[in-house]
Amino acid sequence: MKLKYLEEINSTNSYCKDNILNLEDRTVVYTFVQTSGRGRFARKWVNLGKDNLYLSIVLKPSSVLMPVYSNLTQYTSLILAQTFMESGVNPKIKWPNDILIDGKKISGILAETVFKNGELKGIIIGVGINLNADAKDFLQIDKLVTSLNIELNKTVDKIEFFERFINKFFDGYDLFLKEGFMFIKPKYEQFIDFLGKEITINNLDEKIVGIAKEITNDGAIVINDKKFFTGDIL
Ligand code: BTN
């Protein structure tokens, strides 16, 4: 693993995209000041002051990575949930990969691929983590959000959290590449609470309503006997 700290950047994901050819496999680019963070579905990821964490993990394609590529964000969400749990809170994973505390979002993941001349050059796993936000900063966000300092009622050591998260990520990474989603499924399921309940997911432009029956061995969610690999629980 290689670490690259940037004092300030528009977006760590954009930085990795622009520099993909010069960044080695398993490089982690991180900052505490991100001025134009991007979220899923072309949303923004707001900068919440200089004590929060914005990072991107660069992974380079290889024959072992390709089979598990679509489950990388689920692997990342599990590692995040475990890291939060060790910090003393009770996180839930909102399929496929948001992290919530009491229904409020504390962390999000944006995975992007970079192609050059039709060839996959890298996969970027971008993670935004609210560690030390001020509740009034949330007024600019039209969603239920929280931050670890608010949940714990104390200031969070951002470096300690960052190191614990990233070490845990790479400690299990090789085994995850080898074994795939099956290897993490039981642990992933400990952090979800919607199985057996009626949910609505947004899949492309379609809304699907039904009982969430199971998470399959390849990480899809089964609703009304149909498998979905992408989408968002509403
Ligand atoms: C989401 O929940 O919509 C995903 C948010 C991902 C935000 C992170 S912050 C670090 C990295 N750089 C970005 O521009 N976005 C991701």
Side-chain angles (χ1 to χ4, degrees):
M1 184 224 312
K2 250 191 151 166
L3 299 181
K4 183 167 182 64
Y5 169 68
L6 302 171
E7 206 155 302
E8 179 178 327
I9 190 72
N10 56 353
S11 146
T12 54
N13 267 35
S14 302
Y15 176 90
C16 293
K17 270 186 165 177
D18 295 344
N19 295 284
I20 195 76
L21 299 181
N22 302 320
L23 292 168
E24 280 175 31
D25 182 33
R26 304 182 190 210
T27 301
V28 183
V29 175
Y30 69 107
T31 188
F32 304 113
V33 184
Q34 179 175 257
T35 52
S36 303
R38 295 183 286 107
R40 294 170 73 217
F41 308 113
R43 296 184 195 126
K44 276 192 207 151
W45 187 260
V46 176
N47 187 61
L48 290 169
K50 60 175 178 25
D51 288 313
N52 296 280
L53 184 55
Y54 314 93
L55 66 97
S56 299
I57 306 171
V58 174
L59 302 168
K60 294 278 172 112
S62 69
S63 54
V64 261
L65 174 59
M66 296 327 282
V68 299
Y69 153 62
S70 62
N71 299 118
L72 272 170
T73 58
Q74 286 167 313
Y75 174 70
T76 310
S77 68
L78 171 65
I79 301 295
L80 274 170
Q82 291 174 331
T83 311
F84 276 116
M85 199 173 70
E86 286 172 7
S87 300
V89 288
N90 183 19
K92 292 282 172 231
I93 298 174
K94 186 174 139 226
W95 180 88
N97 53 44
D98 282 349
I99 306 291
L100 310 184
I101 311 273
D102 284 336
K104 291 170 277 184
K105 183 157 165 172
I106 195 162
S107 179
I109 302 173
L110 172 68
E112 296 185 287
T113 46
V114 191
F115 285 86
K116 297 233 186 271
N117 303 323
E119 202 183 311
L120 180 62
K121 293 292 177 199
I123 298 162
I124 300 164
I125 310 290
V127 187
I129 310 173
N130 300 344
L131 291 182
N132 289 294
D134 197 325
K136 73 173 175 355
D137 295 334
F138 293 151
L139 297 174
Q140 55 184 318
I141 304 175
D142 64 349
K143 287 217 163 66
L144 281 176
V145 278
T146 190
S147 175
L148 192 55
N149 64 317
I150 294 175
E151 296 300 323
L152 295 175
N153 208 13
K154 64 173 190 204
T155 305
V156 173
D157 182 338
K158 59 190 179 191
I159 305 279
E160 188 277 333
F161 188 97
F162 171 67
E163 288 178 352
R164 208 152 36 83
F165 166 68
I166 215 65
N167 287 334
K168 198 182 273 300
F169 184 97
F170 284 110
D171 281 350
Y173 183 63
D174 284 313
L175 198 56
F176 168 68
L177 288 187
K178 212 167 117 213
E179 307 278 337
F181 185 76
M182 276 283 276
F183 160 68
I184 60 161
K185 188 181 165 200
K187 296 178 203 135
Y188 181 87
E189 283 175 339
Q190 284 174 4
F191 289 104
I192 59 177
D193 59 2
F194 51 79
L195 289 186
K197 296 187 186 159
E198 184 176 275
I199 58 166
T200 303
I201 70 161
N202 208 346
N203 181 258
L204 303 174
D205 275 338
E206 205 191 346
K207 277 197 173 61
I208 297 110
V209 185
I211 306 287
K213 210 165 138 203
E214 62 167 319
I215 301 286
T216 61
N217 286 343
D218 44 9
I221 192 167
V222 178
I223 303 173
N224 302 336
D225 295 321
K226 266 177 77 185
K227 269 171 95 169
F228 295 93
F229 285 94
T230 55
D232 225 11
I233 298 182
L234 301 178

